[in-house]
Amino acid sequence: MKHSLPWNTAFIGALLFLLLTTSAEAQQRAKRKKAPQGTAAVYDTTLYNGLRWRSIGPYRGGRAGTATGVPGNPNLYYMGTAGGGVWRTTDGGGTWGNISDRYFGGSIGAVAVSESDPNVLYAGEGEQTVRGNVSSGFGVWKSMDAGQTWTNVGLKDSRHIGRIRIHPKNPDLVYVAAMGNLYAPSEMRGVYRSKDGGRKWERVLFANQDAGAVDLIMDPSNPRILYASTWNVRRTPYNFSSGGPGSGLWKSTDGGDTWQDISRAEGMPTGTLGIIGVAVSPVNSSRVWAMVEAEKGACFAPTTGARTGRSCRMTATCASGPGTTRAFMPTPRTRT
């Protein structure tokens, strides 16, 4: 004989279950609303605990200052070294081969691959890591056949090239961040642009004779928006000076025609600025991060005006203090 609850008892039970479920969902929504912005995501540690760093060479290349991958080809990478020129791997780092011998070598500060035509490569000589034994170079080289042959395309007096950026749909539109002579004042500093693949260059950003361009990034969602940093730095055989007039963070919304100094936006550190690293999120390009060397240096991100020409308010997003900034570069005006 079957036994069943009275209909009214079953109805009340179902109603209570529905109310409890709705209440729990409402509490979860309330918690999410109260959660502060910028809260770090929580990941299952089993996803990455097994990962281990290991050196993949090449062991005769010297220290590396730049590396880049190729969209759509996860095993193809290019690397620039301080003593061995440009290297390439086609098997994810299993083996490497030098592709700049017979054309140039030595110190490489930047390597870039065209997104629209991976056969087009640009390499900038002169490492951007300002060590006591830093080595300079002789301008920009270009390859049209994925590194089989190379041609020097100018900026030979730039000495040290920190970054090269290529328009995602036009391999002939290229930008170069030139640091210039580290030992003396120089006019050959700043951001340079070529619209014809390196045949002609124009300087589109210049801070002063002592501050060269060290970092340069292009908005992944809008290549007309560029961010660049300039750095007042001087290296001599007996001392090193970082920071001073001309150090700053810049933004262009018209492909480099004009620039706005955003290094003094509300929330950014005051006083002497040194080297600044800048990055744009490929997922949400309104999120821009700037790692700023200063007395109260930190990693900063804009909270307003990031996608416009307006000055944006900046907020520190990671720990500040001497340990943080020195890991990035020595504090301003530090001498060794």
Side-chain angles (χ1 to χ4, degrees):
M1 179 175 182
K2 293 184 178 179
H3 296 277
S4 60
L5 291 173
W7 72 268
N8 56 340
T9 304
F11 174 76
I12 293 173
L15 181 61
L16 286 173
F17 176 79
L18 179 62
L19 289 173
L20 289 173
T21 303
T22 305
S23 176
E25 291 178 351
Q27 291 177 7
Q28 290 297 324
R29 286 195 298 269
K31 288 180 180 179
R32 287 195 292 267
K33 288 181 179 180
K34 292 180 180 179
Q37 291 186 352
T39 301
V42 179
Y43 297 96
D44 184 354
T45 57
T46 60
L47 297 175
Y48 54 82
N49 276 346
L51 297 177
R52 295 290 183 270
W53 288 102
R54 63 186 179 89
S55 175
I56 57 175
Y59 301 107
R60 296 186 63 83
R63 61 182 179 269
T66 181
T68 185
V70 179
N73 194 335
N75 289 320
L76 177 58
Y77 293 88
Y78 297 90
M79 178 183 65
T81 65
V86 179
W87 295 71
R88 177 178 60 199
T89 177
T90 58
D91 54 12
T95 58
W96 293 85
N98 187 286
I99 60 172
S100 61
D101 282 354
R102 297 182 295 112
Y103 294 95
F104 62 97
S107 177
I108 306 299
V111 177
V113 183
S114 169
E115 184 177 340
S116 59
D117 184 356
N119 289 309
V120 179
L121 313 178
Y122 291 89
E125 288 197 64
E127 62 180 316
Q128 80 282 41
T129 52
V130 185
R131 300 158 50 100
N133 59 343
V134 64
S135 54
S136 59
F138 302 97
V140 179
W141 291 81
K142 179 182 179 181
S143 174
M144 300 285 288
D145 49 19
Q148 295 184 55
T149 60
W150 295 86
T151 302
N152 190 287
V153 291
L155 301 182
K156 291 185 177 181
D157 294 327
S158 58
R159 295 290 188 98
H160 299 267
I161 292 177
R163 292 285 187 272
I164 298 176
R165 301 298 182 191
I166 308 171
H167 190 282
K169 296 182 179 180
N170 181 2
D172 288 332
L173 180 52
V174 58
Y175 300 83
V176 168
M179 295 174 66
N181 192 336
L182 299 179
Y183 304 95
S186 170
E187 288 287 332
M188 195 66 187
R189 303 187 193 277
V191 175
Y192 289 81
R193 178 180 64 190
S194 176
K195 296 181 179 180
D196 55 10
R199 287 188 289 272
K200 293 180 294 185
W201 295 91
E202 56 180 328
R203 190 175 67 187
V204 293
L205 175 63
F206 179 73
N208 61 41
Q209 290 185 335
D210 297 310
V214 62
D215 206 356
L216 178 65
I217 193 75
M218 186 178 288
D219 188 323
S221 67
N222 186 350
R224 291 177 61 81
I225 298 178
L226 302 165
Y227 297 88
S229 64
T230 51
W231 183 24
N232 186 319
V233 60
R234 186 63 53 83
R235 173 88 258 180
T236 73
Y238 50 86
N239 69 15
F240 172 69
S241 174
S242 173
S247 291
L249 181 63
W250 305 79
K251 179 180 181 180
S252 174
T253 59
D254 52 16
D257 290 338
T258 60
W259 295 82
Q260 177 190 8
D261 185 354
I262 60 174
S263 52
R264 298 302 180 182
E266 182 183 356
M268 287 283 277
T270 59
T272 302
L273 301 179
I275 189 173
I276 300 174
V278 59
V280 181
S281 168
V283 177
N284 178 8
S285 58
S286 65
R287 296 295 292 173
V288 182
W289 287 271
M291 180 70 83
V292 183
E293 178 195 9
E295 184 177 357
K296 295 184 178 180
C299 182
F300 295 84
T303 55
T304 59
R307 295 298 306 277
T308 70
R310 303 190 305 273
S311 295
C312 50
R313 187 179 186 279
M314 307 294 281
T315 302
T317 60
C318 56
S320 62
T324 302
T325 50
R326 285 191 182 126
F328 190 66
M329 260 300 183
T331 54
R333 293 297 174 191
T334 296
R335 297 182 181 273
T336 58

